[in-house]
Structure formats: structure tokens, C-alpha cells
Amino acid sequence: MGIDTNPNIDVPAVSVTVTQPGAGPAELESQVTKKIEDAVAGLGNIDNMISTVSDGKSATTINFILGTNSDRATNDVRNAIAQIRQNLPQDVNDPIVQRLEFAGGPIIFYAVKSDQRSVEELSNIVDQTISRALLAVKGVAQVKRIGGVDREIRINLDPGRLQSLGITATQVNDQIRALNINLPGGRAEVGGSEQTIRTLGSAASVNLLQTYEILLPSGGSVPLSSLGSVEDKYADVRQTARLDNQPVVAFQVLRSTGSVVVSVEQGVKAAIAELQKTLPPDVKVDLIFTRADIIRQSYQSTIDELIQASVLAVIVILIFLRDWRATLITAVALPLSMIPTFAVQQALGYTLNNMTLLALALAVGNLVDDAVVEIENMERHIAMGKSPWEAAFDSSDEVGLAVMASSATIIAVFLPVAFMGGVPGQFFQPFGLTVAVSTIFSTMVARMITPMMGAYLLKEKAHTQPSATHAKHRLSQIFYRQTTNQPTKNQFQPYKSLLQTALRHRLTTIAIAIAFFIASLMLVPLIPKGFVDDSDVGISNVTIEVPPGSTLADVNKVVTQTTDIIKQNPIVEKVLATEEINSATLSIQLKPKEERHISQKQFEEQIRPLFQEIPGARISFQSQGPGDSRKGLSIVLRSENPQALNQAADDLEKQMRNLPGLVEVSSTASLVKPEILVMPNPQRAADLGVTVQAIARTASLATIGDNDANLAKFNLSDRQIPIRVQIDPTARADINTIKNLQIPSQNGSLIPLVAVADIRFGSGPATINRYDRARQVAVEANLQGISLGEAVKAVSQLPAMQNLPPGVVQQPSGSAKIMQEIFGRFGGALALAVMCIYAILVLLYNNFLHPLSIMAALPFCLGGALVALMVAQKPLGIYALIGIVLLLGIVTKNSILLVDYTIINMQEGKKQRQALIEAGVSRLRPIMMTSLATIAGTLPLALGIGAGSEVRQPMGIAIMGGFTTSTLLTLVVVPVIFSYIDNFQNWILNTLRYGFGKKPPVEEREVRGGRSQNSTSVSEIQN
């Protein structure tokens, strides 16, 4: 089985990418993005659409509802885009529609090093050799090079030379495209055989390319080399990578949807090891870091918790039973329940992750519960003088219904919860099914294996009380006296005394229980609320944004300063920086957890204030949350009115900066970037026969070259590289060069650009973000000392949120959206689970009222869980909620044991109160055994020891608190509630039989054993 952190919740998504080099975001939004969004909006099962429009690129991601067939969704999107292709600008590159194959971020990073090869050669090794080898590994979706360069043949034209010869860069580019190409020439039959005709015009070398004759509009020709330089170099560098402030050629691997991180990482490492044998000796592929390490550590930690829970549960049982044979029989239930559960998990395609392993770790007490009830009752029958064989049959028959009922309630809880859908359902489903399946197997073991082993392995015992002279049996002495109803003077029986007191003061007992429940609900506002705590994974990510218009050198300067600050901390091992125009991302690998004295969260809190020392940049840590936000809190505003949207976002950002607990507050509202605006004069352009299209094409080709798809290609032995024709970069730095660009007119003459257009500096948006077909701005912040729920509540109360401008609305997103979905779905699933428990208990007991007394324990577990979370100050998130769901199933077991045995006693003719006391006293030991075994099994999880324990800890704390209070209150309150319900049932039956207000005849009451409370004497209570 695969190893992972969490269940696979990859969302089916399709991306549509359209490029138009040189186009501004505003033009692309209106001409391309909106048309694409409108075209796909009518498709079914769309969850949301997110579009990002930047210079020359429009990228739209359509996220579909979980469970949607991604292949069909991709075809539907592709068909919708094909139908509107003619409505898009003709000079845009064809839209690229593809299913998003990769899930999450990169999982592993490598650096390629050599002291003998150039950056271009190393880049080529990554692109041509390493990428091809790794893409053949199962689960690898993409290999992305970071750093390095792309080889190009660059023809840098001299603008002065072009002007003197009367030719434009566009005309030079068109001629090279027409000359440097290999084309088919048809077919011939010469000499009695058939031959294909090939026209080979591609230059064999760069030197030969320089000699190409370029025809001049005025007549004649000149060699290409006379118009400028022809060089075999590389494209403009738009991104770089640095490892610890040293340039590096690196690459990262992204996994495909549905794959397992650890399995993919192992496959990649094996492929790299084989590849290293075939690479040149001087080329080394070094691992930078991998995200699979923390997954393996978390997996090992969870396995340790499972083993510790099992050992602690068995120790608790041994302490109570004081018999290694009985303990062995009980302990056998663990492997016999878990091993088949693993087989079912594998058949369902589950991985060994936090959810599936935690389900087993937390269900350890539940798995031995049924066996404990069977073996304890068997020992009680043996103590009566029966043989083990006879005791096995009698005991199994006596507790059979209770065991089946308790198991059925757990299955009933998780049937509705496991299928509640959405992202929460993807977490709940494997957890719930694992608990349900393991419970089914444990019940089968308890009903078949445990009695059989008990009949053969247990020994007969003398029918006497244990000696009170042995101090080591003091605990067992207490439980024995309370579980045998033999009257002895001066016995220490605290539970029996407490139960008698509760039954004498029933109203007071009920009032105390209700007060506890109400008081616990009042603690809810004091408990932090969130989704999932950030765990200590040992890798922190930092994002850097610089003002639009900054060069790569500006970005590098900020990255160098930031890296120097980070590297000063002694717990930092490596810093990998990926630099792009206007932004950068830093991945920081920390030392292993056992080698550092502070956590990852504390490290980030230490470094965060130091970022403020770097001017002119936004520097912040990225959140590890599952949402689509880069930070812990994301407030998304949508509107079709850009001015109102930006104003609302600015106001909200200013007010959020004043909220305590919110740090690194920023807005995605794009800062304006500098632009050179070419404003054609319609009258002059018409007079001179110059079109706007000719102006735009000339300016674009002269400054950045032609579209990549239209570039001429230079043939190498193994691939083609582009030939880019453009004005010399040094000349482009002068605005006069752009003003004097020659524009071809319709009559063939060349007109200077400045003659037909006004050229001036301006500004425009650097990036436009859209969400569900409207512009959106996200105001984001990281959380420090505050939970997600508290942050959402504080922001929602700000004046900027209370008074949003007309047309501006808030769009739930990120972790806050998932948190709202969890609490919304959880309430309905919880109500359905309670209904299922009630329905099953009604069917099992053939009674509509007694199940209510069994379910009375449910509110008490909720109160204890909330108190424990408040005391520990752990968030009420998805892990804590899953723990509460588990509690609903297991706390009813104690009530079932009490109520079931009470009913048996009453059926034997005992009076109600006597039946309750005997049931409580006789069931005390199995209840305490199973409860303490469950609590002991939860202890390793609640302590939060091990990798990734920060995430799982709230679940353990909630279960310990809830099960502790539920057990203590169940032993006292459930008997009291049962007495009320049983009296109410008797009153209803008497009313139906004898009429309202009438009592049955005295002789019938005597035959029925005096079930009413008034017929029980004080002496009977004391016995």
C-alpha cells in the first residue's frame, strides 16, 4: 500500500492557456479571457473558474466538482473553445486546452552541476535527457527546469543599417523564414524507380546562415551579416535559480493526479540513480530536498502511535484481569481485526495516511472492547463455578445482543458521515470506513474466536472472593466487591454508594448533568476554530514581490538580501531561490526536527520581522493550508467595477493591518506597471497608408521577435532551435529607436513610427485576476497567535466588510471556504448519524424508548471534548470533528452494557432500582476496562509526540476529554434517565390498558416485580 500524508483529494481541473506576445492584460481580458469564460460557463459540474491575465498570456483554470470524469470534462472544454476560436483575435496562438495532470506542488528538487560544462549545456541535459527519462516514471506528470537558459540563434539587427538600406525587421524575418526551411518537393520516377523530392533550404551552420542574401525593397541584396550580428547564444533570461545565493541549474518534479507522493519519489530516485550511470562523468545530479521525507516520518510516527496504543490497551486489560490467558485472548482481537482491515483498504485503493492509520490507532480500544466484554463476562461465569466450556456458551449468549448493538452503533455513525461529500468527505470517508470495517471484524472475532479460545484456554476457579491481605490485588479487590452483589459489612464500594445516591436524588442528578452540558456549549466561543494546523514539515516557503517594471537584477538583489538574513539562522540547511520577473520564491530546508530547538512555526515568527529591513519588496511566508491561497487567511472580493473593487480592497487592507494576530497583510490588487504607449493618429495613418496592425506587428517583432510558433528554426542533429530576429537589445534601450522604427505603408514605402503615432510613457495593470467571470482581488494575511475562525470573525466585523460598495461581494475561498463547508456539512451528517443510531437500537431492542436512555450519553461526550480543546487551546477543526464523530459511536457502548443488563435483570423479575444497581455494579469492571483501554490508546496521540503530530493532536485531546467525561457521567446519569424512561413507558402501557389515571391491580403489580419506583424500599436500595 502507498504511503501519504492525507487522503487523495485531487480536484479534477482543466486549463485553457492563450498566448499573444506583447499583448497587455487589459486587452487580453476583453478580447480573450471573457470569451473563454463565457464559452465554458454553461458546462455542467463546474465548481469555479479562476483566470489570471498577465503580459501576453491568459490562463483560465476550470475546477470541477469532485467525482467529475476529468477526461469528459476536458473534451467538453475543448469543444467549447473550438466553437469560439473564430471570435478570438487572429494573431493569438491557438488555445491550449489540457487536463491538469499534476497535483499539489513539486515533490522533489535536484541540482545539475558540472565544472566543465556551460549553463546552456547543463540546461540541455535537463531538457533532453533527464526530463525524458523521468517522464517515463509512473506518477510523474511534469519535470520543470528552474534556472538555466534556452538556446537560440539570435539575429540582432542594427536599426541604423536597416534605415539606410530601406528594409524593416519584419521583412528580414519573413525572408529568413522563407529561406531557412526544409520542405517536401513532391515525387518523381527517374531511372525506373520512384523517388521523393525534398527541398533543403535550412542552413547547415551559423556561418552559412550569415551568408544568406537578403533582398532589398529597392533592388539588389546584401548578406544577412551586414544587417547585424548572427550569434549562437540563448534567449533573454526571464528566470534564474540560486542555491544558497549561488547560480544553479535545477529541476523539480510534479506528480500526477491520483498518484502517491512517496511512490513517485522512490521511482524518481531510482531513475536518477540509473541515469547517473549514463551521464558524462563530470555531470552530477544532486538532491536538494524532497517533500517525501516528512511523509515517511509522519507515517512512522503514526505507526508508532498505533503500536503504543495497542500495548497500552493490553497493559490496562492485564491490570484488570490479572490473568495472562484472558489478556492473551483479548489481545488476539487486535491483529485479527487489523490485518483484514488492511486488505479491505487496499481493495478500496486507500493509502496508509493520517486518516486510515489514525482510525486504527484510535479504534484500538474499540477493537478490544467486544473481546473484553466477552472475556470479562466469561470470567464472571467461571467465578460462579461453571466450567470454561459452559461459561463460554452462557456468557456469549448473555452479552451477544449488547456486543452486536454496540458495534452496530459505530457502523451507523460512520455510514452517513463517510459519504457526506466535498473536501470534508474525502477526509471522513477513509477514516469512517476504516473504523467501520475494523469494527465488523472485531465483532466477528469477539463472537466466534474469543469464546472458542476462552473455552479451551481459561482455567476453572474456586468460587471464593480474593483475599484482601494482598496489597497488589487492592484495585481488583475493589472492583470484585462491586461486581459481586454479595453483602459484606464495611465494604468500600464507592461506585455503588454513588449510584444509590443518584437514584435517591434523581432530579438533582439530571440537573447537574444538564448544567454540565449547557456550560460546555457556552465554551464554544472560547475554543479556536480552524481547518488544519500547519505541521512542522521542515520546509518553509517565502514569496517575494517587487514593484512592476523591476528587472531580474532588481529581483536578484532582494533575493540575495533575503537569503543572507535567512542563512544567519543556525537551523537553516539550504535555501533554493527561483527568480522571475517581478517575483521570486524561496524554499527553505530546515534541519531535522530532532536537531533543532525550535519548531518551524517559531522559526518563521523569528525571521518574519527581519524581512521588514529589506526595502521595496513584499516578503512573506506561504501557508501550508489546503486552500488555493498563498497565506493562512484570504478574503476574496469580486466585482465587475474595477475602481470600486480596488477601493474596497485598499480599505480592507488598511484595516486588516490594524488587527492583532494578522501579519504580512497584502493585496493581490495589481500595482501599475510602466508602459510605452503607441497612440496612432488615425488621420495621418490613413493619409500615409499605414494600418494599426502594421504598426503593432513591426513594433512587436522589432523588440521581442515573432511568435514562437512562427519563428524560423535551425536544425540540429537531435532537435530544432529557434532563430529570433529583432532589433539589437542595446539599441532598444533608447526611446528614439522605437520612434524611428520603419513601418511599411500600403504603397511599399517606409514611414517612421513617429510620423503616424504619438509615443509616450504611461502605465497599466500588471496582472488581472478573475474569479467566476468577474474581477477579483484577494486581501491575504498570515496568522500569528490567532486561529482561522477568530481571524475570519474579526475581519467580517471590520467597517470595510460591513459597508462594501454596491456591486462588490465577498467570495468564500481558501481554507476559510473549506472550514465553512466542513461545519455546514458536519451538522447534517451528525444529525443523520444520531438518527441511524436510534433506528438501529430500536430494531435491536424492539423498543422505541429504551434507546433514548442509551443515547443520553452522547451530549456528555461533546461537553468533555469541548472542555479538553479549550483547556489545551487546540482548534476545533476537521481532526477534532472526526474525533467527536468517533466518540458518538464508542460512548454508546457503555450505555448499551448498562441498559442491556438492566433489562435482563428486570426480565428476571427484579425491581427497577435493584436491577439498575446490580447492572451498574456488575458492568462497572468491563466499562472501566474498555474506557481506560480507549483512553490509554489515545494517550500517545494526545501528547503530540512525533513528526506531524501537531495536526493530529486535537483529535486525541477531543477523544480523551469526551470519553472521560462521558464514561463518568454515563455510570451515574444513564441509570437515572433509564428509571424515568422506564416509568414513563409503564405509565403509557397502564394508560392504554386501564385508562388514564388508573393503576393496575395489586396482584398484577406483584407479578410484574414492582417495576415502579414507589414500590422499592430503602433496604432494597441499600442492598
Side-chain angles (χ1 to χ4, degrees), residues 771-810:
Y771 191 99
D772 282 347
R773 304 167 67 191
R775 283 204 183 186
Q776 65 105 349
V777 173
V779 184
E780 301 173 331
N782 277 321
L783 310 179
Q784 183 170 310
I786 187 174
S787 69
L788 177 61
E790 294 169 333
V792 171
K793 181 179 179 181
V795 171
S796 64
Q797 295 174 350
L798 291 175
M801 291 298 293
Q802 296 289 330
N803 304 293
L804 289 174
V808 179
V809 296
Q810 181 185 0

Coordinates of all heavy atoms in Angstrom, one line a residue, residues 771-810:
Y771 N -12.4 35.7 -10.9 CA -12.9 34.5 -10.2 C -14.4 34.4 -10.6 O -15.2 35.3 -10.4 CB -12.8 34.7 -8.7 CG -13.1 33.4 -7.9 CD1 -12.1 32.6 -7.4 CD2 -14.4 33.1 -7.6 CE1 -12.4 31.5 -6.7 CE2 -14.7 31.9 -6.9 CZ -13.7 31.1 -6.4 OH -14.0 30.0 -5.7
D772 N -14.8 33.3 -11.2 CA -16.2 33.1 -11.7 C -16.7 34.2 -12.5 O -17.7 34.8 -12.2 CB -17.1 32.8 -10.5 CG -16.9 31.4 -9.9 OD1 -16.3 30.5 -10.6 OD2 -17.4 31.1 -8.8
R773 N -15.9 34.6 -13.5 CA -16.3 35.5 -14.6 C -16.4 37.0 -14.1 O -17.1 37.8 -14.7 CB -17.6 35.1 -15.2 CG -17.6 33.7 -15.8 CD -18.9 33.1 -16.1 NE -19.5 33.9 -17.2 CZ -20.8 33.8 -17.6 NH1 -21.6 32.9 -16.9 NH2 -21.3 34.4 -18.6
A774 N -15.7 37.3 -13.0 CA -15.7 38.7 -12.5 C -14.3 38.9 -12.0 O -13.6 38.0 -11.6 CB -16.8 38.9 -11.5
R775 N -13.9 40.2 -12.0 CA -12.6 40.6 -11.5 C -12.6 40.3 -10.0 O -13.6 40.5 -9.3 CB -12.3 42.0 -11.7 CG -11.9 42.3 -13.2 CD -11.0 43.6 -13.2 NE -10.6 43.9 -14.6 CZ -9.8 44.9 -14.9 NH1 -9.3 45.7 -14.0 NH2 -9.5 45.1 -16.2
Q776 N -11.5 39.9 -9.5 CA -11.4 39.6 -8.1 C -10.1 40.1 -7.5 O -9.0 40.2 -8.2 CB -11.5 38.1 -7.8 CG -10.4 37.2 -8.4 CD -9.4 36.7 -7.4 OE1 -9.4 37.2 -6.2 NE2 -8.6 35.8 -7.8
V777 N -10.1 40.5 -6.3 CA -8.9 40.9 -5.5 C -8.9 40.2 -4.2 O -9.9 40.1 -3.5 CB -8.8 42.4 -5.3 CG1 -7.7 42.8 -4.4 CG2 -8.7 43.2 -6.6
A778 N -7.8 39.6 -3.9 CA -7.7 38.8 -2.6 C -6.8 39.6 -1.6 O -5.7 40.0 -2.0 CB -7.1 37.5 -2.8
V779 N -7.4 39.9 -0.5 CA -6.6 40.5 0.6 C -6.2 39.4 1.5 O -7.0 38.7 2.1 CB -7.4 41.6 1.4 CG1 -6.5 42.3 2.4 CG2 -7.9 42.6 0.4
E780 N -4.9 39.2 1.6 CA -4.4 38.0 2.3 C -3.5 38.4 3.5 O -3.0 39.5 3.6 CB -3.5 37.1 1.3 CG -4.3 36.7 0.1 CD -3.4 36.0 -0.9 OE1 -2.2 36.3 -1.0 OE2 -3.9 35.1 -1.7
A781 N -3.5 37.4 4.4 CA -2.6 37.6 5.6 C -2.3 36.3 6.2 O -3.0 35.3 6.1 CB -3.4 38.5 6.7
N782 N -1.1 36.3 6.9 CA -0.8 35.1 7.7 C -1.2 35.3 9.1 O -1.4 36.4 9.6 CB 0.8 34.9 7.6 CG 1.2 34.1 6.4 OD1 0.5 33.2 5.9 ND2 2.3 34.5 5.8
L783 N -1.4 34.1 9.8 CA -1.9 34.2 11.2 C -0.8 33.9 12.1 O 0.1 33.0 11.9 CB -3.0 33.1 11.3 CG -4.1 33.1 10.2 CD1 -5.1 31.9 10.5 CD2 -4.8 34.4 10.2
Q784 N -0.8 34.7 13.2 CA 0.2 34.5 14.3 C -0.4 34.7 15.6 O -0.9 35.8 16.0 CB 1.4 35.5 14.1 CG 2.5 35.4 15.1 CD 3.7 36.2 14.7 OE1 4.2 36.2 13.6 NE2 4.2 37.0 15.7
G785 N -0.6 33.6 16.3 CA -1.2 33.7 17.6 C -2.8 33.8 17.6 O -3.4 34.2 18.5
I786 N -3.3 33.4 16.5 CA -4.8 33.6 16.3 C -5.2 32.4 15.4 O -4.5 32.0 14.5 CB -5.2 34.9 15.7 CG1 -6.7 35.1 15.6 CG2 -4.6 35.1 14.3 CD1 -7.1 36.5 15.2
S787 N -6.4 31.9 15.6 CA -6.9 30.8 14.8 C -7.6 31.3 13.6 O -8.0 32.5 13.5 CB -7.9 29.9 15.6 OG -9.1 30.6 15.9
L788 N -7.8 30.4 12.6 CA -8.5 30.9 11.4 C -9.9 31.4 11.6 O -10.4 32.4 11.1 CB -8.5 29.7 10.4 CG -9.3 29.9 9.0 CD1 -8.6 31.0 8.3 CD2 -9.3 28.6 8.2
G789 N -10.7 30.6 12.5 CA -12.0 31.1 12.8 C -12.1 32.4 13.5 O -12.9 33.3 13.1
E790 N -11.2 32.7 14.4 CA -11.1 34.0 15.0 C -10.7 35.1 14.0 O -11.3 36.2 14.1 CB -10.1 34.0 16.2 CG -10.5 33.1 17.3 CD -9.3 32.8 18.3 OE1 -8.2 32.9 17.9 OE2 -9.6 32.5 19.5
A791 N -9.8 34.8 13.1 CA -9.4 35.8 12.1 C -10.6 36.1 11.2 O -10.9 37.3 10.9 CB -8.2 35.3 11.3
V792 N -11.3 35.1 10.7 CA -12.5 35.3 9.8 C -13.5 36.2 10.5 O -14.1 37.1 9.9 CB -13.1 34.0 9.4 CG1 -14.4 34.2 8.6 CG2 -12.1 33.2 8.5
K793 N -13.8 35.9 11.8 CA -14.8 36.6 12.6 C -14.3 38.1 12.7 O -15.2 39.0 12.6 CB -15.0 36.0 13.9 CG -16.0 36.7 14.8 CD -16.2 36.0 16.1 CE -17.3 36.7 17.0 NZ -17.4 36.0 18.3
A794 N -13.1 38.3 13.1 CA -12.6 39.7 13.3 C -12.6 40.5 12.0 O -13.1 41.7 12.0 CB -11.2 39.7 13.8
V795 N -12.3 39.9 10.8 CA -12.3 40.6 9.6 C -13.7 40.9 9.1 O -14.0 42.0 8.6 CB -11.5 39.8 8.5 CG1 -11.7 40.4 7.1 CG2 -10.1 39.7 8.8
S796 N -14.6 40.0 9.4 CA -16.0 40.2 9.0 C -16.7 41.4 9.7 O -17.7 41.9 9.2 CB -16.8 38.9 9.2 OG -16.9 38.6 10.5
Q797 N -16.1 41.7 10.9 CA -16.7 42.8 11.6 C -16.1 44.2 11.3 O -16.5 45.2 11.9 CB -16.5 42.5 13.1 CG -17.3 41.3 13.6 CD -17.1 40.9 15.0 OE1 -16.1 41.4 15.7 NE2 -17.9 40.0 15.6
L798 N -15.1 44.2 10.4 CA -14.4 45.5 10.1 C -15.4 46.3 9.3 O -16.3 45.8 8.5 CB -13.2 45.2 9.2 CG -12.0 44.5 9.9 CD1 -10.9 44.2 8.9 CD2 -11.5 45.5 11.0
P799 N -15.3 47.6 9.4 CA -16.2 48.5 8.7 C -16.1 48.3 7.1 O -17.1 48.4 6.4 CB -15.7 49.9 9.1 CG -15.1 49.7 10.4 CD -14.5 48.4 10.4
A800 N -14.9 48.0 6.6 CA -14.8 47.8 5.2 C -15.6 46.7 4.7 O -16.1 46.7 3.6 CB -13.3 47.7 4.9
M801 N -15.7 45.6 5.5 CA -16.5 44.5 5.1 C -18.0 44.7 5.4 O -18.9 44.1 4.7 CB -16.1 43.2 5.9 CG -14.7 42.7 5.5 SD -14.6 42.2 3.8 CE -15.6 40.8 3.8
Q802 N -18.3 45.5 6.4 CA -19.7 45.7 6.7 C -20.4 46.7 5.7 O -21.6 46.7 5.5 CB -19.9 46.3 8.1 CG -19.4 45.4 9.2 CD -20.4 44.3 9.4 OE1 -21.6 44.4 9.2 NE2 -19.9 43.1 9.9
N803 N -19.5 47.5 5.0 CA -20.1 48.5 4.1 C -19.4 48.4 2.8 O -18.7 49.4 2.3 CB -19.9 49.9 4.7 CG -20.5 50.1 6.1 OD1 -21.7 50.0 6.2 ND2 -19.6 50.3 7.1
L804 N -19.5 47.3 2.1 CA -18.9 47.1 0.8 C -19.6 47.9 -0.2 O -20.9 48.1 -0.1 CB -18.9 45.6 0.4 CG -18.0 44.7 1.1 CD1 -18.3 43.2 0.7 CD2 -16.5 45.0 0.9
P805 N -18.9 48.5 -1.2 CA -19.6 49.3 -2.2 C -20.6 48.5 -3.0 O -20.4 47.2 -3.1 CB -18.4 49.8 -3.1 CG -17.2 49.6 -2.2 CD -17.5 48.5 -1.3
P806 N -21.6 49.1 -3.6 CA -22.5 48.4 -4.4 C -21.8 47.6 -5.6 O -20.9 48.2 -6.2 CB -23.4 49.5 -5.0 CG -23.3 50.6 -4.0 CD -21.9 50.5 -3.5
G807 N -22.2 46.4 -5.8 CA -21.5 45.6 -6.8 C -20.3 44.8 -6.4 O -19.8 44.0 -7.2
V808 N -19.8 45.1 -5.2 CA -18.7 44.3 -4.7 C -19.2 43.3 -3.7 O -19.9 43.7 -2.7 CB -17.7 45.3 -4.0 CG1 -16.5 44.5 -3.4 CG2 -17.2 46.3 -5.0
V809 N -18.8 42.1 -3.9 CA -19.3 41.0 -3.0 C -18.1 40.2 -2.5 O -17.1 40.1 -3.2 CB -20.3 40.1 -3.7 CG1 -21.6 40.8 -4.0 CG2 -19.7 39.4 -4.9
Q810 N -18.2 39.5 -1.4 CA -17.2 38.6 -0.9 C -17.4 37.2 -1.4 O -18.5 36.7 -1.5 CB -17.2 38.6 0.6 CG -16.1 37.7 1.2 CD -16.1 37.5 2.7 OE1 -17.0 38.1 3.4 NE2 -15.2 36.8 3.3

